[in-house]
Amino acid sequence: MLGRPQYRRALVFSGLIGIPVSLVAFWFLAGLHELEHLVWTSWPHGLGYDRAPWWWSLPGAAVAGAGTALVVLRFPGRGGHVPVAGLHSGTPTTAALPGVVLAALCCLPFGVVLGPEAPLIALGSGLALLFRDLARAPATHEGTALLGAAGAAAAIAAIFGNPLVAAVMLMEVAGVGGPRLFAVMLPALLSSGVGAVVFTGFGHWTGLKTGSLEIGLPAPPLLDAGDVVWSVLMAALIAVVIHYVMLAGRHTAILVAAHPLRNTLLAALAMGCCAAAYTGATGRPPTDVALSGQSTLPDLAAHPHAWSVGALVAVLAFKSAGYAISLGSLRGGPIFPALFLGAAAGVLLAPLPGFGVVPATAAGMAAATAAAMRLPVSTVVLVALLLGHTGSLPVVVLAAVTAFVIVQLLPEGPPVPPFRPRTSTRTGEG
């Protein structure tokens, strides 16, 4: 394939389109961040509040619900796919790009419990094909798939700040290698995780040195048997919970499909009520439940003891409910809420005997993300980069594989219904 001239031309073009796609992705994310700050910080301060009051999520939910419903009903592409269906690598038409951007702007800054990764994948893919058409490059089936994946990878790398995550994620999402990919990768991933546990344990128990790639950066405490056992058990529990959250999202999608305008708005308001009820019950800001959790996750990781047990239980309950509703009715990506829920579950269960906050948080993020995305390799790479160290990598691998296997064994639930626009018929017409 590398020897074919058309492939080499596509490879060069993929490198070139990475520049404008990354710039657009940067400004898209920057715009979302500024809007989020405006809605949740500047406007409450301008009205005399120290922070957003308990009811603040409700008007934003109404904007998200009404905006999404109108995009779904009126714009080509329906604003992108329903998030509970998972990340898609399919290339949208260029005509769908306005709807994708508008739906994201209506949802993400106004408190929807979803992240920006799905709109970014659609935006990157569509822009890559738009630039190809502007350059009047030949459109072949193979070239379209290649450029669509390249554009999506360039855009998704912008939010995770690392091209490795984007490359691995797009490989798993696109299913390169077909069903055999998971059959080969999963045993290799599990074996490497178990091997890392054994290798780390023997090095600690014997005191012998075998050489290391460590360069002196701070590392977490050494893993012990309690960390490993609790991580696997916690991963199984988290996988079951996240599976039923996704199942609730599928049932929400079925309800919304029956009457998109009314039920999308009602679902969005129900999501806003989750954030309002959380603030009323705990006194904490509604942004703990609203939004993707991307901005709250660093605070949780840095100050886990600032969260009481009651606050952790409440945020897990209310954010899970808001996440399930958002997955089936609104537009965005499933990754960041899953990361936050997993981290919160890890912090909650960290006091178990022999468990630690660092491995518990790491394993929780891996389990929840693998259960939500069903992309175990991408999950391991993403969580490892978020942690910034390899000390907890063995429990990350074990938790991701455990959660992935558990959700594969559970019933998937009803399929996400396709969108069917309502048609009106007048009396006397066939």
Side-chain angles (χ1 to χ4, degrees), residues 124-180:
S125 298
L127 285 174
L129 298 189
L130 177 62
F131 291 133
R132 180 202 62 188
D133 295 340
L134 292 175
R136 297 183 178 180
T140 63
H141 178 73
E142 185 181 60
T144 297
L146 181 65
L147 292 180
I156 203 70
I159 188 171
F160 295 120
N162 192 290
L164 180 60
V165 177
V168 174
M169 187 174 297
L170 264 295
M171 180 183 69
E172 283 194 288
V173 170
V176 178
R180 295 173 118 186

Side-chain angles (χ1 to χ4, degrees), residues 19-83:
I19 299 172
V21 168
S22 298
L23 289 174
V24 172
F26 171 82
W27 289 111
F28 177 73
L29 290 171
L32 288 177
H33 177 76
E34 290 301 318
L35 280 173
E36 180 181 316
H37 180 78
L38 181 69
V39 171
W40 295 94
T41 303
S42 298
W43 286 353
H45 288 175
L47 293 175
Y49 295 103
D50 293 334
R51 65 183 185 190
W54 68 269
W55 52 266
W56 194 260
S57 59
L58 298 175
V63 171
T68 302
L70 291 176
V71 169
V72 168
L73 293 172
R74 301 298 181 189
F75 280 73
R78 298 175 280 115
H81 68 278
V82 180

Side-chain angles (χ1 to χ4, degrees), residues 145-372:
L146 181 65
L147 292 180
I156 203 70
I159 188 171
F160 295 120
N162 192 290
L164 180 60
V165 177
V168 174
M169 187 174 297
L170 264 295
M171 180 183 69
E172 283 194 288
V173 170
V176 178
R180 295 173 118 186
L181 177 68
F182 281 119
V184 173
M185 293 174 68
L186 203 60
L189 188 64
L190 179 59
S191 179
S192 64
V194 173
V197 170
V198 174
F199 190 86
T200 302
F202 267 90
H204 176 57
W205 297 329
T206 64
L208 299 176
K209 303 295 182 182
T210 59
S212 173
L213 295 177
E214 294 181 2
I215 57 176
L217 295 176
L222 288 172
L223 297 174
D224 55 26
D227 294 324
V228 175
V229 172
W230 285 123
S231 292
V232 172
L233 295 176
M234 181 182 69
L237 175 62
I238 290 175
V240 173
V241 173
I242 293 295
H243 170 77
Y244 283 102
V245 168
M246 304 298 286
L247 196 62
R250 288 178 176 270
H251 286 287
T252 301
I254 293 172
L255 291 175
V256 168
H259 198 299
L261 179 59
R262 180 194 66 200
N263 290 351
T264 300
L265 181 58
L266 291 176
L269 290 174
M271 176 211 66
C273 288
C274 292
Y278 168 80
T279 299
T282 65
R284 292 185 59 88
T287 49
D288 289 353
V289 168
L291 303 170
S292 67
Q294 183 180 359
S295 59
T296 314
L297 181 60
D299 178 70
L300 174 65
H303 309 287
H305 300 294
W307 293 66
S308 66
V309 172
L312 288 170
V313 171
V315 78
L316 284 169
F318 287 110
K319 198 173 186 75
S320 293
Y323 184 36
I325 295 169
S326 301
L327 283 168
S329 58
L330 301 166
R331 294 298 183 267
I335 296 178
F336 284 103
L339 282 169
F340 179 85
L341 288 171
V347 172
L348 178 64
L349 298 177
L352 289 169
F355 217 0
V357 173
V358 173
T361 305
M365 289 193 295
T369 309

Side-chain angles (χ1 to χ4, degrees), residues 374-396:
R374 303 195 178 196
L375 304 175
V377 181
S378 300
T379 295
V380 170
V381 175
L382 174 59
V383 174
L385 290 171
L386 286 175
L387 294 174
H389 59 76
T390 60
S392 299
L393 195 56
V395 294
V396 168

Side-chain angles (χ1 to χ4, degrees), residues 100-117:
V100 169
V101 173
L102 186 57
L105 292 176
C106 288
C107 287
L108 301 180
F110 290 98
V112 172
V113 190
L114 295 169
E117 60 277 4

